[in-house]
Amino acid sequence: MKKWFVFAFLILILPQIAPQETPEVQLLGLVNAERVKAGLSPLSWNQTLADVASAHSRDMLEKRYFSHVSREGTTPWKRVTNSGYYQNYRGFMFVAENIEVHSGAMNVSLTHSNLMRSPGHKRNILSQYANEVGIGFAVGQLTYGTHTFTIIVCTQIFSYHSR
């Protein structure tokens, strides 16, 4: 009787309470696999950077632009420093940003392969200077004429911090 109860719990209840792997976590896994394959250390997740990345993805989607510089002129460096990430910090500083957009369904593998095909984005992913990353997706609709498309925007922010 106890075995059936445990089995039923594991099959029916646990999947509902276990955290789901988000697209951001999936992309982190793909990024770190590339880094390990290249002989580099995996990146650590940083929630402050993830919040900055998510905000930039949402901003690009809502204001209909695609750029490392916001409509207000804010650069990746400024977004990261404004977040407090480097507050009271005096060491080596490094910030790099990747952005990617595609239409259709959420497809983390497509996002990753698009970024890896771009020499500049690949260089950021494989940077020896980065040791932390934050990733943020935004999903929304774009209407062009009579057609409406689902748009996925991704921002990755790579940085160095000697905690």
Side-chain angles (χ1 to χ4, degrees):
M1 177 77 171
K2 282 185 180 180
K3 287 181 186 178
W4 280 106
F5 177 76
V6 171
F7 180 74
F9 176 79
L10 292 174
I11 298 299
L12 300 174
I13 306 299
L14 192 57
Q16 296 172 20
I17 60 173
Q20 300 298 312
E21 190 171 82
T22 65
E24 291 83 358
V25 171
Q26 292 173 20
L27 188 53
L28 174 63
L30 294 172
V31 164
N32 279 337
E34 293 288 350
R35 290 180 60 82
V36 168
K37 189 166 62 174
L40 298 165
S41 298
L43 299 172
S44 297
W45 181 263
N46 182 279
Q47 191 57 50
T48 299
L49 296 177
D51 293 344
V52 172
S54 294
H56 187 57
S57 290
R58 282 191 313 276
D59 190 60
M60 287 189 289
L61 186 65
E62 291 166 5
K63 296 178 182 170
R64 302 290 191 240
Y65 71 96
F66 185 69
S67 175
H68 295 287
V69 180
S70 74
R71 293 266 194 227
E72 296 75 29
T74 308
T75 63
W77 175 261
K78 195 67 171 168
R79 286 191 292 276
V80 169
T81 56
N82 285 349
S83 74
Y85 178 79
Y86 281 128
Q87 186 174 0
N88 300 322
Y89 181 77
R90 299 267 187 261
F92 173 75
M93 297 180 194
F94 169 81
V95 173
E97 180 181 78
N98 287 348
I99 55 176
E100 188 270 351
V101 64
H102 67 269
S103 63
M106 174 67 73
N107 186 331
V108 175
S109 294
L110 176 63
T111 297
H112 182 66
S113 64
N114 287 346
L115 291 167
M116 288 301 291
R117 279 196 300 268
S118 163
H121 293 124
K122 182 177 181 178
R123 185 171 41 254
N124 288 342
I125 289 169
L126 299 178
S127 173
Q128 65 182 346
Y129 301 113
N131 69 350
E132 293 187 331
V133 67
I135 301 168
F137 282 93
V139 180
Q141 302 294 312
L142 176 66
T143 300
Y144 184 76
T146 59
H147 302 286
T148 300
F149 304 92
T150 299
I151 302 295
I152 292 88
V153 180
C154 177
T155 303
Q156 298 174 315
I157 299 181
F158 303 89
S159 194
Y160 176 85
H161 204 296
S162 64
R163 298 191 191 282

